Structure formats: C-alpha cells, structure tokens
Amino acid sequence: MTILPINANASEGGATDPVLTARAAVLLALEDNPGLAAMQHRYEALREVPRQVGSLPDPMLNINAMNFPTDSFDRDQEGMTQLQFGFSQEFPFPGKLDLKEEAATFDAIAAGYSVDEMRVRLANSVKTTWWQIHYLDRALETLEKNKELLRQFIAVAETKYETGRGLQQDILLAQLELSKLIEQGISLVALRKHQSIQLNTLMDRPASSPAALADVDISSMPGILSETELFAIANESRPTLKEKETQMQAALARLELAKKDRFPDFKLGVMYGERDGDNPPFMGGSRADLFSVMFGVKIPLYAGRKQSGAISQKTAEVAKNRYALIDEKSAVRSAIATAITDYQKSREQNELFSTGIIPQAEQTVQSMLAAYQVSEVDFLNLVRSQMTLFNYELLYWKSFSEANQALSRLEAAVGRVSIYE
C-alpha cells in the first residue's frame, strides 16, 4: 500500500508553524481552559465551607439601658434602673456541628472529583477533535494526490484524442471528476477550519491560530485490556463514580443531622447590671450591682411537621444519590463496552484496507491505466477504478482516526490512560 503520512502544515499554516501532538494539545487545554479553571475555583471555595459550618454560632454581646424613669431619666431615682452588659452563646446539640462539617467536607471532596471528571472529559474532547483534524489532513492530502492523477488521466486522454485513438467525452469525463474533487476539497478545508476553531477554543487559544498537527506512527494499533479488567479499573479510578459515592456520603451525613435536629439546642448567657444611687435608709449603703445567668433550650415543638418532614426529605435524597450512583456505573460500563466495540471494528477495518482492499485497488488502477493506453479498456472504467481507490483511501484514514477516537473515549470511560496490554 502506498499511503504515506503527511505534514499537516500543508493544509493550514506555514511550514514554520510548530506542530501539535495530541498529548501537547491536552496539556495546553488542561492548563488554560477557562471552564476547567472555573470548576477548580469552585472546588477551592467549597473547601473553605467545612470549618465554617463546623464552628459555633457567633456569640452575642448585649448592652442594655434598663428601667429608666421617663420623668427624669435619672439613674439614681429608681432601684431597678441599670446599665446591663451581657454575653450569650448558642450551643447546638452535641454531634450537630460535627455532622454539618462532615457533610460539607464530603461536598468539597465531591467537587474535587468533579474537577477530575472535567479533566477527563476535556482531554477526551481535545483528543477526539485532534484525531478528526488528523483525518481531514490525510483526506486533503489524498484528495490532492488523486487530483494530480486525474490530471495525468486528462493528459493521456488528450494525447489519445489528438492522435485519433480517443474520444473527447473521455476528456470531459475526467474534467468533471476533477471538478468534483475540487468541490469536495472546498468542503474538507471548511470542515478542517471548523475543527481547528473547536480545538483552539478548548485550548483557550485565538480561534484563527494555526493548528498544525504532528505526524503519528501508523504502523500498528495497540492491544487493550479485557472488558472485565477495564470495568475493575473504572470502579477504582473514574472520577464521576467517586463523585457520586461521595455525594451519597454527604447525603447520609445530612440524614443523620436531620435526625439530630429532633434534639434541642441550648443557649447560655450572663448579664451584669450596673446601678447608681443608695438603698433606703433602713438598708443603708449604695445599691449593689446585679449579676444574672440565663439558660435557654430550643424546644422542637413542631417536630411532626418540621423535623420529621426533614428526615423524610433527607431519606429520599439518600435514595436518590444511591440510584444515581447505580445509574452512573451502568453508564460507565456501557461507555467502556461501546468504546471497545468501536475500537475493535475500526482496527479490523483499518487492517483490511491497508493489507487487502487498497493494494488490490491500486493494482486494478495500474492495470486499467495500462489497458486504456492500448485501448483495451474504456476510459469510464479507468476513472471509476481510480475514484474507488480514492474512496477506499479515505475510508482507511477514517477508520484509523475512528480507532484512535475510540481509544480516547475508552480512556475517558475508564478514567485512566493505562488501558493497554
């Protein structure tokens, strides 16, 4: 087979543009993508929540002017007139603050897993787009090669026509096929630009930046682990599963907190009252200051409507998170199985094209060209054989790109790149 790798610079950018490997594109996206940065800052914000909700409520400092007579506002006139200075603190029932902190900690951990999951998805999007551009580059190179061959066919047809051994319709037919290839090339160039814009957006680069891809090894495709092994790895590594598990733990902590809310919270306070003036003559001396201690209990009087309802709500949320985890595991298993199937299909197709169909089609074209030159084959069959070869070459590169895209989806579904034998 005579399919050769090309330099992607030929279809976009100049020869001096730096080439971009799939790995380099992923690293750029993980470093600069604004959506990922937003998720990272959300995680950092949530990390600050546990110690806030695990702390006691802020204490209350009170300053009161008590029992001043309205006729004179004299502090000496009445015995109960005083300036009060107090301090009070609420104390949730033991265990409530710990549960609040535990639930918030699980929320933060889940947010961290959501960042990891976005990294996985972003890497997959970048690699999928990269391989689509890789296919378009190869398609454009294959198209240019076939345009040149058709021009050669036209030259042969013109020579035969000038010598009286050919037909003018052969020349017209070849020119028509050439025009079709030119039109197809216009569409491919536009599609490549669209994919380049998408790749640059993922990497947070200007949309018009050149996206010149590096060459890749097309000699072989790697073997992958079995479905059972990949499922086991995904259960341990896939961030979205860890996120769902952690969200369920947070829901369980909130359920326990709702149960704790059936128990009362407490409030403790002290108050110091400063008084002026003197006691009545029979008592003698100046009026003593006053000291008070206060203790309050919050009574869950409406537990049947509030606390019991909250427990039912949190119980349902635990069930929701449990089923969400089961559903996500099923989705991951399905994604792994689908990616494996797609990879195996594309790999087998690619091997068939490279070792069987394309070499046979090339031989057919060469044989028909030789036969046409001695007028043993009509020109239509020659052109058809060449266009068939062209389509097979496109399918070869398509299967090669789709196989690598399937590998990228498989890595994303598993949550790790170590999926190979």
Side-chain angles (χ1 to χ4, degrees), residues 78-273:
E78 300 292 339
M80 292 304 297
T81 300
Q82 56 187 291
L83 291 177
Q84 289 185 339
F85 304 92
F87 179 89
S88 61
Q89 174 68 63
E90 292 184 3
F91 295 93
F93 192 85
K96 287 186 177 180
L97 291 180
D98 291 339
L99 287 170
K100 286 183 179 180
E101 184 172 359
E102 182 180 348
T105 299
F106 283 132
D107 285 339
I109 295 173
Y113 285 127
S114 70
V115 175
D116 294 338
E117 177 65 17
M118 187 171 182
R119 288 175 178 272
V120 168
R121 295 178 183 272
L122 178 60
N124 177 50
S125 296
V126 170
K127 285 188 283 188
T128 299
T129 306
W130 192 97
W131 281 110
Q132 181 63 18
I133 295 175
H134 178 274
Y135 161 71
L136 293 171
D137 284 340
R138 270 52 183 180
L140 285 167
E141 188 271 348
T142 303
L143 185 142
E144 289 298 323
K145 182 182 68 174
N146 279 268
K147 284 165 60 177
E148 182 58 33
L149 287 173
L150 279 177
R151 291 188 181 99
Q152 294 176 14
F153 288 176
I154 292 173
V156 172
E158 289 175 342
T159 300
K160 291 191 66 176
Y161 176 69
E162 291 170 356
T163 59
R165 295 184 297 113
L167 301 174
Q168 187 180 24
Q169 67 186 37
D170 293 344
I171 301 173
L172 297 176
L173 176 62
Q175 289 175 339
L176 175 60
E177 293 299 331
L178 180 60
S179 297
K180 289 181 180 179
L181 288 182
I182 292 173
E183 189 278 331
Q184 189 172 356
I186 293 172
S187 298
L188 288 174
V189 168
L191 183 56
R192 203 231 187 247
K193 289 181 178 179
H194 290 162
Q195 294 295 314
S196 177
I197 291 171
Q198 181 175 340
L199 182 62
N200 283 324
T201 300
L202 291 170
M203 297 186 296
D204 195 33
R205 300 199 310 181
S208 59
S209 296
L213 306 191
D215 293 335
V216 296
D217 181 14
I218 63 172
S219 59
S220 63
M221 293 189 184
I224 56 176
L225 299 175
S226 67
E227 285 191 22
T228 302
E229 292 173 313
L230 292 173
F231 292 154
I233 294 174
N235 283 331
E236 297 296 326
S237 303
R238 183 68 187 270
T240 187
L241 297 181
K242 296 297 183 182
E243 179 184 4
K244 293 294 187 293
E245 290 172 356
T246 309
Q247 287 173 343
M248 188 172 68
Q249 291 175 312
L252 287 170
R254 290 191 172 91
L255 175 58
E256 292 302 313
L257 178 60
K259 293 177 180 179
K260 284 281 187 181
D261 279 340
R262 293 177 299 182
F263 300 100
D265 297 334
F266 309 103
K267 184 175 182 180
L268 180 64
V270 294
M271 190 74 67
Y272 184 86

Side-chain angles (χ1 to χ4, degrees), residues 47-66:
R47 287 178 59 188
E48 300 299 322
V49 174
R51 61 179 180 177
Q52 299 177 48
V53 299
S55 301
L56 288 171
D58 291 334
M60 180 70 71
L61 178 64
N62 299 315
I63 301 176
N64 304 319
M66 301 290 293

